[in-house]
Amino acid sequence: MYPDKLKQGDEVRVISPAESLTMIAPDQRALAKRRIEKLGVSVTFSQYAEADDNRLSIPIEKRVHDLHEAFRDPDVKMILTTIGGFNSNQLLKYLDFDMIKDNPKILCGFSDITVLSNAIYKKTGLVTYSGPHYSTFGMEKGIDYTWDHFVHIFTDQKNLDIHPADHWSDDPWYMDQQNRTFHTNEGYVVLQEGKSEGTSIGGNLCTLNLLQGTEYMPPLEDTILFLEDDEMTIPQTFDRDLQSLLHQPGFDKVKGIVLGRFQEKSGLSIELLREIIESKQELKGLPIIAQASFGHTTPQFTFPIGGKVSIQAGRDNECKIKIIEH
């Protein structure tokens, strides 16, 4: 079940299922609002988006209230998360999935939001999206690739070839918008050759793994997994987090893997990634592409959780990633 695309006059609701909007600088909030409104939509904020009770995050009941209210409101056509965090999984047992299913609309975010997007897809069949947060659009430079893919996915029905961005950055842009460091993107890297088509799921690996063994974990059969992680991972934790996913029922029917670019502090070089992949018998024969432009580095493309994608990984790092249905 795909939500309707955005059109002029629609309302975009910003909610904070993880960290509060209070952590986003006022000038960045204002820029994000202006940028999104270029689509001809209005931007509104949930009742508790800025709640701050001096705790680790906004209380569960307030975050659940805002998510439910956004789905119930017939004027809201897109739900955009403020930012990630650590505890969106606290909300899962309190969510009214029947109500969400009866009021399908766009939900977009990444990082910690991985648990919500994948759980909602599993429980309702509603396709959700791994893509930029509201806060992402407060970025002044290096945002064009992110914006272009966001606009295509949410306003256009056509399939989309995902080409690598021509640059990438891993700097804390929200601390200093003017002194940015951009690197030339050398493109995709093929870790294992092959081609396949399947259902796209995934996002942040260590967050996706929080769903293992629960009723909220989407099936792995006939999927292409999009996986990334942030600077808190290291090669050893990525290895065991990936291995944990390989142990899940249905992994033997996974069709392929696309890995996002890992942050520099993780130390996950291509050489180490290749070593980890080659060490796992469960991955033999799967097409695997690395250095895709999504995850915790910028820029990033948006992809559907529950959509249809195809990948081709050929010799000399010749790759194709196509989002067929979104």
Side-chain angles (χ1 to χ4, degrees), residues 230-244:
D230 62 16
E231 66 182 16
M232 297 182 71
T233 195
I234 58 174
Q236 292 86 346
T237 55
F238 171 73
D239 186 311
R240 70 178 182 180
D241 285 348
L242 178 60
Q243 188 64 55
S244 180

Side-chain angles (χ1 to χ4, degrees), residues 24-285:
I24 311 303
D27 62 322
Q28 293 171 21
R29 292 194 226 175
L31 175 57
K33 188 173 187 290
R34 291 196 304 272
R35 181 171 277 130
I36 295 168
E37 287 176 342
K38 289 180 180 180
L39 294 175
V41 300
S42 63
V43 176
T44 61
F45 300 89
S46 64
Q47 181 176 348
Y48 299 112
E50 295 186 75
D52 185 1
D53 291 354
N54 296 316
R55 305 182 186 186
L56 292 176
S57 68
I58 300 167
I60 293 172
E61 61 273 15
K62 293 182 178 179
R63 289 180 280 151
V64 170
H65 168 277
D66 281 359
L67 184 62
H68 282 169
E69 183 62 26
F71 271 102
R72 287 194 185 101
D73 190 331
D75 292 330
V76 173
K77 304 302 180 183
M78 179 182 196
I79 302 168
L80 190 58
T81 55
T82 292
I83 197 169
F86 293 92
N87 51 16
S88 292
N89 66 329
Q90 292 175 339
L91 311 185
L92 296 180
K93 73 175 183 177
Y94 303 105
L95 296 182
D96 185 341
F97 290 104
D98 289 336
M99 182 275 294
I100 292 172
K101 184 176 182 178
D102 291 340
N103 296 274
K105 55 194 64 179
I106 297 166
L107 172 70
C108 181
F110 75 107
S111 191
D112 191 55
I113 308 305
T114 296
V115 293
L116 293 179
S117 55
N118 283 270
I120 289 173
Y121 168 64
K122 165 61 188 307
K123 298 291 285 185
T124 70
L126 174 64
V127 173
T128 57
Y129 299 87
S130 179
H133 300 301
Y134 178 73
S135 56
T136 307
F137 293 117
M139 186 185 301
E140 294 181 9
K141 301 177 180 180
I143 190 71
D144 289 349
Y145 179 94
T146 300
W147 175 251
D148 290 345
H149 287 76
F150 179 87
V151 172
H152 184 107
I153 288 293
F154 295 126
T155 66
D156 197 331
Q157 296 283 359
K158 296 178 182 177
N159 58 33
L160 178 63
D161 290 310
I162 303 294
H163 302 289
D166 60 10
H167 66 279
W168 64 275
S169 177
D170 190 28
D171 54 18
W173 61 266
Y174 43 87
M175 301 292 292
D176 188 344
Q177 293 265 34
Q178 302 309 312
N179 297 305
R180 301 287 307 279
T181 301
F182 294 101
H183 309 278
T184 298
N185 187 4
E186 301 298 336
Y188 297 130
V189 174
V190 173
L191 298 182
Q192 292 185 170
E193 295 180 15
K195 62 181 181 178
S196 63
E197 182 177 314
T199 301
S200 53
I201 66 169
N204 184 246
L205 175 59
C206 68
T207 306
L208 179 67
N209 282 1
L210 299 175
L211 301 179
Q212 292 178 7
T214 74
E215 62 188 283
Y216 310 110
M217 181 72 181
L220 297 177
E221 291 86 352
D222 300 319
T223 60
I224 293 178
L225 300 174
F226 286 70
L227 304 174
E228 58 85 19
D229 223 318
D230 62 16
E231 66 182 16
M232 297 182 71
T233 195
I234 58 174
Q236 292 86 346
T237 55
F238 171 73
D239 186 311
R240 70 178 182 180
D241 285 348
L242 178 60
Q243 188 64 55
S244 180
L245 190 59
L246 304 189
H247 289 161
Q248 294 305 296
F251 189 88
D252 58 322
K253 293 183 173 61
V254 166
K255 299 295 187 181
I257 298 175
V258 179
L259 297 173
R261 182 180 295 278
F262 288 84
Q263 291 190 271
E264 294 175 292
K265 286 185 179 180
S266 72
L268 268 161
S269 65
I270 286 297
E271 291 75 19
L272 284 172
L273 276 175
R274 195 180 301 278
E275 182 178 328
I276 290 169
I277 296 301
E278 291 178 351
S279 72
K280 301 188 183 303
Q281 292 295 319
E282 301 95 328
L283 297 178
K284 299 299 182 184

